[in-house]
Amino acid sequence: MATFYFAIVGTNDSPLYEAEFGAQREENKYLQQFVVHAALDLVDDAQFMTNACYLKTVDRYNDWSVSAYVTPSNIRLMLLHEAKAEEAIKSFFTACHELYMKTLLNPFYQPNATIQSQAFDIKVHTLSKKYLL
Amino acid sequence: MTSSQQQQVQSMLRLDTKQSKRSTLLLEQPVTRQRRDKVSLSAFAFLFAEMIRYTQNRVLGIQDLETKLNELGQRVGVRVFELTMSREKTVRRETRVLQMLVYINSVVWRALFDKPADSLERSTENEDEYMITDNEPDILKYISVPKEMASFSPGAFISGIVESISVCCQCPARVTSHVVPAEGMPVRTVILLKFDKEVMERERRLEAGKSK
């Protein structure tokens, strides 16, 4: 069963939102967080090379790969996955970016604060079922 | 009230009750691509004047006042930047100084004030200083500065907007606003951006890399 770990990382490198899709094994949770955090450095390097938002696969660890998408306001959407079609991941990222933007437009939401809205959570899981699983 | 003003108020009130219901409605709003709505200048001038009065009661000096207005502008800047970027035909990021400044000059100014900024200049004395000029900033039209506070520029709000955009593009800068009156333009405001050293170094590296 394919497993995915999705994280939205703020400008100060702390996660604003995390989610897991697909079947998970208990011991992998912390490892996934660690791998994604390590991949942030590679994202920092890659983001000056191109003007695009979607930075395909930035890192590989055993059989997991980490893909990244950077929003104009420097928020990183990271997805840890096993081999998966790039198009599907790109559409997933674009849809999540829209959701993040709508959350940002809420004047009561401080930029770089954790996203605790349940509606956001439900929507992200729906998107994951649509594009990833 | 004229009928158009009444319509405006009514449509704004309808929007209000819809949004206050549940957070799902916020996430389903098609705000990102479709509407381009304007706010009446008098409504905004009223709000802005109250913002200045509110901060004036809580600060101890002109510098503090400008800093507080700067912070208020920063909250706006992030959101304006993300929104205008997503409305462009291709969503991109800006990481170079000049591209970012051109973007602010044209797209952001048009989104906020319905006209592009009047000029973008680079200072001849210091390499890392750039100036954005607005000959008649509309939002400052109804703010009058008393003589004893002559060095205060209410454009600090605009400089806050520009500062947060520069942070988003990873080109942090110190942004200040100054009033430079000229022929027939008594409220001409100049936004001065002074970029950090690391930004200029990075720019030099990227330029060198490209020209090779």
Coordinates of all heavy atoms in Angstrom, one line a residue, chain B residues 5 12 33 61 70 90 93 112 124 133 135 141-142 158 162 166 172-173 175 186 199 204 208:
Chain B
Q5 N -23.7 53.7 -3.8 CA -23.1 53.5 -2.5 C -23.9 52.5 -1.7 O -23.4 51.6 -1.0 CB -22.9 54.8 -1.7 CG -21.8 55.6 -2.1 CD -21.7 56.9 -1.4 OE1 -22.8 57.5 -1.1 NE2 -20.6 57.5 -1.2
M12 N -21.4 44.3 0.6 CA -20.4 44.0 1.6 C -21.0 43.3 2.8 O -20.5 42.4 3.4 CB -19.6 45.3 2.0 CG -18.6 45.6 0.9 SD -17.7 47.1 1.0 CE -17.9 47.8 2.6
R33 N -9.5 33.4 -8.1 CA -9.4 33.8 -9.5 C -10.5 34.8 -10.0 O -10.2 35.4 -11.0 CB -9.4 32.6 -10.4 CG -8.0 32.1 -10.6 CD -7.8 30.8 -10.9 NE -6.9 30.2 -9.9 CZ -5.7 29.6 -10.3 NH1 -5.3 29.6 -11.5 NH2 -5.0 29.1 -9.4
G61 N 6.9 58.0 20.1 CA 7.7 58.8 19.2 C 7.4 58.6 17.8 O 6.6 57.7 17.4
N70 N 4.3 50.2 9.8 CA 5.1 49.3 9.0 C 4.6 47.9 9.3 O 4.3 47.1 8.4 CB 6.6 49.4 9.3 CG 7.4 48.9 8.3 OD1 7.2 47.8 7.8 ND2 8.4 49.6 7.9
T90 N 0.8 32.4 -15.2 CA 1.6 31.3 -14.7 C 2.1 31.7 -13.3 O 2.7 32.7 -13.1 CB 2.8 31.1 -15.6 OG1 3.5 32.3 -15.8 CG2 2.4 30.5 -16.9
R93 N 7.7 32.2 -8.9 CA 8.3 32.9 -7.7 C 9.3 33.9 -8.2 O 9.8 33.8 -9.3 CB 9.0 31.9 -6.9 CG 8.1 30.8 -6.2 CD 8.9 29.8 -5.5 NE 9.9 29.2 -6.3 CZ 11.2 29.3 -6.2 NH1 11.7 30.1 -5.3 NH2 12.0 28.7 -7.0
L112 N -3.4 47.2 -5.7 CA -3.8 48.0 -4.5 C -4.4 49.3 -4.8 O -5.4 49.8 -4.2 CB -2.6 48.2 -3.6 CG -2.0 47.0 -2.9 CD1 -0.7 47.3 -2.3 CD2 -2.9 46.4 -1.9
T124 N 22.4 56.3 -7.1 CA 23.7 56.3 -7.6 C 24.8 56.2 -6.6 O 25.9 55.7 -6.8 CB 24.0 57.6 -8.5 OG1 23.4 58.7 -7.7 CG2 23.3 57.5 -9.8
T133 N 8.7 55.5 -6.5 CA 8.0 56.8 -6.3 C 6.5 56.7 -6.6 O 6.2 56.1 -7.6 CB 8.6 57.9 -7.2 OG1 10.1 57.7 -7.2 CG2 8.3 59.3 -6.6
N135 N 3.6 59.6 -7.1 CA 3.4 61.0 -7.1 C 2.2 61.4 -6.3 O 2.2 62.5 -5.7 CB 3.2 61.5 -8.5 CG 4.5 61.5 -9.3 OD1 5.6 61.5 -8.6 ND2 4.5 61.5 -10.6
K141 N -4.3 60.7 0.8 CA -4.9 62.0 0.5 C -5.5 62.7 1.6 O -5.5 63.9 1.7 CB -6.0 61.7 -0.6 CG -6.2 62.9 -1.5 CD -6.7 62.5 -2.9 CE -8.2 62.2 -2.8 NZ -8.8 62.3 -4.2
Y142 N -6.1 62.0 2.5 CA -6.9 62.6 3.6 C -6.1 62.6 4.9 O -6.7 62.9 6.0 CB -8.2 61.9 3.8 CG -9.1 62.0 2.5 CD1 -9.3 60.9 1.8 CD2 -9.5 63.2 2.1 CE1 -10.1 61.0 0.6 CE2 -10.3 63.3 0.9 CZ -10.5 62.2 0.2 OH -11.3 62.3 -0.9
I158 N 2.6 51.8 3.5 CA 3.0 51.3 2.2 C 4.4 50.6 2.2 O 4.6 49.6 1.6 CB 3.0 52.4 1.1 CG1 1.7 53.1 1.1 CG2 3.2 51.8 -0.3 CD1 1.6 54.2 0.1
V162 N 5.6 46.8 1.2 CA 6.8 46.4 0.3 C 7.8 45.6 1.1 O 8.4 44.7 0.5 CB 7.4 47.7 -0.2 CG1 8.7 47.4 -1.0 CG2 6.5 48.5 -1.1
S166 N 9.3 41.9 0.1 CA 10.7 41.7 -0.2 C 11.2 40.5 0.7 O 12.0 39.7 0.3 CB 11.6 42.9 0.1 OG 11.5 43.2 1.5
P172 N 15.5 40.3 1.9 CA 15.1 41.2 3.0 C 15.8 42.6 2.9 O 16.9 42.7 2.4 CB 15.6 40.5 4.2 CG 16.6 39.5 3.8 CD 16.3 39.1 2.4
A173 N 15.0 43.6 3.2 CA 15.4 45.0 3.0 C 14.9 45.8 4.2 O 13.9 45.5 4.8 CB 15.0 45.5 1.7
V175 N 12.9 49.0 4.7 CA 12.1 49.9 3.8 C 11.6 51.1 4.6 O 11.0 50.9 5.6 CB 11.0 49.1 3.2 CG1 10.2 49.9 2.2 CG2 11.5 47.8 2.6
P186 N 2.5 67.9 -3.8 CA 2.9 68.1 -2.4 C 3.0 66.9 -1.6 O 3.7 66.9 -0.6 CB 1.9 69.1 -1.9 CG 0.7 68.8 -2.7 CD 1.2 68.5 -4.1
V199 N 21.9 39.9 0.4 CA 21.2 39.9 -0.8 C 22.0 40.4 -2.0 O 22.0 39.8 -3.1 CB 19.9 40.8 -0.7 CG1 19.2 40.9 -2.0 CG2 19.1 40.3 0.4
R204 N 25.2 39.4 -6.9 CA 26.5 39.5 -7.6 C 26.9 38.1 -8.1 O 27.3 37.9 -9.2 CB 27.6 40.1 -6.8 CG 27.9 41.5 -7.1 CD 28.9 42.2 -6.2 NE 28.2 43.1 -5.3 CZ 28.5 43.2 -4.0 NH1 29.4 42.4 -3.5 NH2 27.8 44.0 -3.3
A208 N 27.2 36.9 -11.9 CA 28.4 36.3 -12.5 C 28.2 34.9 -13.1 O 28.7 34.6 -14.1 CB 29.5 36.2 -11.4

